[in-house]
Amino acid sequence: MGFPGVWMTQSESMVYRVIPKCACSTIGQIMFYSDHGRYFDGDIHDSTEGLHKWAQEGSQPAIEDAVLSHKGISFTCVRNPYARILSSFFDKIAGIQRNGKRYRGNLVPQLIQEYGIEVGSPEDGFDFDQVRSFRRFLLFARDTIRWRRPMDPDIHWSSISGHMSTFIANGGRYDQIFFTEKFNEGMQRILDAATNPVSVNLDEVPRFNESEGHGPKRAHKVSDYFDDLSRHLIWEIYKQDFVLFKYDFEDPDNKFPTAELDLNEIHAKLGR
């Protein structure tokens, strides 16, 4: 199975397990900069050189060797499940993608027909009932994760622990895991521990967000989107993410973790 979703600097200083919707664009650009002294011109997800990626066949032997022999710093980044699923909805379902089209072609029309969601359009200023449509999308996300219907779950709303576990199950071990909500603090620890060819000043790093400006803005606070049923569904889908990564299920508006991560616990639970 190898190490799907892993990016690595060409200098092998940093090995990163990508978690979609957890600052992956910014992390990828920082890694690219730490080798080359410049950022990739475009979305880092589109790069085909300058950064090892498991999806690039030529990178696989180098990544596998680095992970198994524990070269560099192996890390990843997690995010509050409430905010992450909302971000997935506004980016991938309600938003327009970089190519000017809807995500995954017929997915949004399928959701409109089968789940009754609305997403608006650039022409009407994305005027739709965000709360109602998000809650219907959440039913769809649950169906994909629990029963793999009407399709397999998408990487953008699959659980964080599910993404992370493949790295552990195939022989990797994380040196550090940090919170998106405490990004600079966590990323600085990675940079301090790694031996990078080029130093990175996090205060000068732009925030890279490939979805910015291509869809509706969130109109309400987080808790407004989650009624009792929605919270039941969120717990059903992401219980392990809340528990392992110490996020507050009781208060959707509290985006911050309630405790520090326990790396040994994470490896034990996700390595089974």
Side-chain angles (χ1 to χ4, degrees):
M1 187 174 177
F3 298 99
V6 169
W7 294 353
M8 181 176 73
T9 52
Q10 288 187 329
S11 62
E12 301 183 348
S13 60
M14 292 185 279
V15 178
Y16 165 51
R17 203 315 178 185
V18 178
I19 310 287
K21 310 308 297 176
C22 296
C24 51
S25 296
T26 300
I27 293 171
Q29 288 282 14
I30 289 170
M31 292 171 68
F32 191 95
Y33 186 96
S34 75
D35 266 356
H36 306 291
R38 61 180 175 85
Y39 298 112
F40 176 72
D41 184 14
D43 188 327
I44 192 64
H45 293 81
D46 297 333
S47 74
T48 56
E49 57 184 11
L51 188 66
H52 284 303
K53 296 178 176 178
W54 187 260
Q56 297 162 188
E57 197 170 327
S59 292
Q60 292 181 5
I63 290 174
E64 188 160 14
D65 175 65
V67 173
L68 296 179
S69 61
H70 217 108
K71 297 178 184 174
I73 300 299
S74 295
F75 73 97
T76 194
C77 180
V78 300
R79 184 178 184 183
N80 185 299
Y82 284 117
R84 182 170 176 262
I85 189 71
L86 272 172
S87 177
S88 296
F89 171 74
F90 281 102
D91 175 12
K92 300 303 175 188
I93 306 303
I96 306 297
Q97 304 309 296
R98 299 190 308 276
N99 60 9
K101 300 177 181 179
R102 291 287 183 180
Y103 182 58
R104 292 179 67 155
N106 67 349
L107 173 60
V108 172
Q110 181 182 359
L111 286 176
I112 291 171
Q113 181 177 356
E114 295 185 17
Y115 287 83
I117 73 165
E118 301 170 319
V119 292
S121 68
E123 290 71 33
D124 64 16
F126 296 102
D127 182 20
F128 67 100
D129 187 327
Q130 293 186 359
V131 171
R132 184 175 64 187
S133 286
F134 169 74
R135 290 175 182 172
R136 293 181 177 191
F137 161 71
L138 194 57
L139 282 169
F140 162 75
R142 189 278 307 268
D143 290 349
T144 66
I145 289 168
R146 283 296 301 272
W147 297 296
R148 311 187 83 84
R149 67 176 193 231
M151 55 178 274
D152 283 349
D154 185 273
I155 60 171
H156 297 90
W157 53 81
S158 298
S159 70
I160 296 172
S161 50
H163 285 292
M164 285 177 56
S165 64
T166 60
F167 186 80
I168 300 170
N170 293 319
R173 183 172 179 85
Y174 296 104
D175 296 300
Q176 298 193 39
I177 299 167
F178 67 93
F179 303 108
T180 303
E181 295 79 11
K182 299 181 178 182
F183 183 85
N184 274 24
E185 176 186 320
M187 193 70 222
Q188 189 63 59
R189 289 201 303 269
I190 306 299
L191 294 172
D192 289 345
T195 305
N196 297 311
V198 180
S199 63
V200 180
N201 183 341
L202 287 180
D203 292 333
E204 297 175 356
V205 175
R207 283 293 175 264
F208 295 92
N209 185 347
E210 73 273 15
S211 61
E212 192 72 41
H214 298 289
K217 301 291 186 189
R218 179 159 61 83
H220 312 285
K221 64 181 180 178
V222 172
S223 58
D224 289 343
Y225 293 88
F226 296 93
D227 61 0
D228 185 63
L229 174 59
S230 301
R231 291 180 62 187
H232 173 81
L233 293 175
I234 283 286
W235 185 249
E236 181 182 344
I237 303 170
Y238 301 120
K239 177 181 178 180
Q240 190 170 40
D241 286 358
F242 280 106
V243 173
L244 268 188
F245 310 129
K246 316 299 183 185
Y247 284 109
D248 185 354
F249 172 73
E250 298 301 329
D251 182 4
D253 291 318
N254 176 24
K255 67 179 183 178
F256 291 104
T258 58
E260 289 303 309
L261 294 175
D262 183 334
L263 276 178
N264 290 329
E265 177 191 20
I266 289 170
H267 283 93
K269 294 277 178 64
L270 298 186
R272 291 172 181 168

